[in-house]
């Protein structure tokens, strides 16, 4: 099956964060992007955006879209006033529905390794994304805004490790980041058990 992940510059932030990147091409037209995701007949797709852009991006998505939440367990800056944003929406459309539910939220730190590109995703996020889409080894992942390439590398690593090809990881740093962020998972948590159904369960693979 074919899946896609879109991690464009969030609305209104393209120039500020990516103006000097070779891939910068101005603001991304989110209406066009969502339309092309739908038209491409992916078996499932997901798009990251900012909390303050949700009111703009969600109405572009089909009714079956689910809003999942990546929460960053960081403190609010004492110099700011009022509500301080520490989460990002991940909108998920379709995907393979496998037995063994996947939480619609993730608590994980922002990426600390893997370069300096703003908005690059940590490996814990990648693992959660794959689980939300119900991806299995052999599935294709189209990473539309690759940036550092971490999301694609994580998918290749998850597939290979699941198939027993040693234990490739996207990078030693990324593995360290993953174990710092999400371990230990409480034992006995039904959501953390790896079902014996051939499923990648990326969150298990990287543990
Ligand atoms: C949020 S980052 C992607 C991060 C990536 N998922 C990762 O984990 O490394 C967005 C990427 O889109 C690129 N970009 C900026 N403007 C763009 C445009 N108009 N079209 C395509 N790509 C663009 C940026 O340079 C950056 O590499």
């Amino acid at each position: 099956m074919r899946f896609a992940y879109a991690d464009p510059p969030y609305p209104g932030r393209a120039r500020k964060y990516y103006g000097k990147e070779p891939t910068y091409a101005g603001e991304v037209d989110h209406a066009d992007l969502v339309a092309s995701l739908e038209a491409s007949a992916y078996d499932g797709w997901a798009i990251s955006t900012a909390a303050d852009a949700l009111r703009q991006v969600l109405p572009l998505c089909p009714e079956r879209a689910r809003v999942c939440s990546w929460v960053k367990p960081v403190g609010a800056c004492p110099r700011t006033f009022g509500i301080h944003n520490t989460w990002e929406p991940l909108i998920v459309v379709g995907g393979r529905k496998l037995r063994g539910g996947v939480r619609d939220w993730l608590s994980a730190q922002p990426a600390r390794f893997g370069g300096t590109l703003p908005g690059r995703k940590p490996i814990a996020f990648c693992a959660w994304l794959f689980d939300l889409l119900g991806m299995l080894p052999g599935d294709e992942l189209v990473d539309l805004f690759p940036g550092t390439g971490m999301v694609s590398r994580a998918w290749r690593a998850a597939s290979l490790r699941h198939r027993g090809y040693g234990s490739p990881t996207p990078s030693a740093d990324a593995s360290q980041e993953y174990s710092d962020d999400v371990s230990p998972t409480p034992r006995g948590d039904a959501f953390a058990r790896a079902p014996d159904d051939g499923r990648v369960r990326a969150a298990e693979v990287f543990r």
Side-chain angles (χ1 to χ4, degrees):
M1 290 172 84
R2 263 175 96 237
F3 298 86
Y5 174 53
D7 190 13
Y10 300 163
R13 295 160 168 87
R15 187 186 179 87
K16 177 175 179 189
Y17 291 111
Y18 306 107
K20 294 201 167 72
E21 293 294 320
T23 45
Y24 173 69
E27 278 291 314
V28 169
D29 183 326
H30 278 67
D32 274 2
L33 173 60
V34 170
S36 79
L37 285 162
E38 276 292 90
S40 298
Y42 293 113
D43 296 293
W45 56 267
I47 181 170
S48 282
T49 196
D52 63 9
L54 193 55
R55 64 172 63 245
Q56 178 183 335
V57 179
L58 189 57
L60 305 171
C61 298
E63 273 186 23
R64 65 189 192 285
R66 298 284 301 262
V67 178
C68 302
S69 172
W70 170 28
V71 173
K72 302 165 193 179
V74 295
C77 174
R79 289 193 302 277
T80 56
F81 295 84
I83 297 174
H84 184 98
N85 172 248
T86 56
W87 75 284
E88 289 187 15
L90 174 65
I91 300 171
V92 180
V93 176
R96 192 188 271 117
K97 304 283 182 291
L98 296 170
R99 186 180 297 278
V102 182
R103 275 187 281 235
D104 60 2
W105 60 268
L106 170 75
S107 173
Q109 296 286 346
R112 279 162 286 147
F113 301 106
T116 56
L117 186 76
R120 67 192 188 280
K121 297 298 180 281
I123 195 168
F125 175 94
C126 301
W128 178 59
L129 166 71
F130 307 150
D131 285 346
L132 287 169
L133 289 171
M135 294 181 70
L136 293 175
D139 285 339
E140 181 188 350
L141 177 67
V142 180
D143 184 6
L144 290 165
F145 297 83
T148 61
M150 174 53 79
V151 179
S152 296
R153 281 203 301 284
W155 175 242
R156 275 196 301 277
S159 297
L160 290 172
R161 288 182 78 169
H162 185 79
R163 291 177 186 179
Y165 291 118
S167 55
T169 47
S171 74
D173 283 348
S175 294
Q176 184 61 50
E177 180 180 275
Y178 186 82
S179 49
D180 286 353
D181 283 354
V182 300
S183 295
T185 297
R187 289 292 127 196
D189 176 354
F191 292 112
R193 280 200 298 271
D196 190 18
D197 61 0
R199 178 173 181 179
V200 172
R201 275 288 178 183
E204 284 293 319
V205 168
F206 288 121
R207 182 159 293 122

